[in-house]
């Protein structure tokens, strides 16, 4: 899609991983974008699910390594 320029009004429903990126891409191509999201941009995965749980798991793993470091 190189060289493509939009001059359209675009509404993206949902600011999750797909909607957020779609809105950014459409805006980068010149679209007049409105993203409708009832809670927080990024959706469940970014704010409460996958990413936060991975951070907690990684922190717990590092904590366990620190506790066993003397061994």
């Amino acid at each position: 899609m190189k060289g493509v320029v939009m001059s359209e009004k675009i509404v993206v429903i949902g600011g999750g991983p797909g909607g957020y990126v779609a809105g950014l891409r459409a805006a980068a191509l010149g679209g007049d974008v409105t993203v409708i999201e009832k809670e927080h941009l990024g959706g469940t995965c970014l704010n409460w699910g996958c990413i936060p749980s991975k951070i907690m798991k990684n922190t717990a793993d590092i904590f366990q390594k620190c506790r066993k470091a003397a061994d």
Side-chain angles (χ1 to χ4, degrees), residues 49-61:
C50 312
I51 296 171
S53 64
K54 288 178 183 173
I55 291 170
M56 288 187 280
K57 182 191 177 308
N58 189 42
T59 302
D61 290 344

Side-chain angles (χ1 to χ4, degrees), residues 2 4 6 11 16 21 25-26 30 33 35 40 45 48 56 61:
K2 280 190 173 189
V4 175
M6 287 188 216
V11 175
V21 173
R25 181 70 175 142
V33 181
V35 176
H40 303 285
C45 187
W48 302 282
M56 288 187 280
D61 290 344

Side-chain angles (χ1 to χ4, degrees), residues 1-28:
M1 288 185 64
K2 280 190 173 189
V4 175
V5 177
M6 287 188 216
S7 61
E8 303 294 323
K9 292 182 184 261
I10 299 165
V11 175
V12 177
I13 300 173
Y20 181 77
V21 173
L24 288 175
R25 181 70 175 142

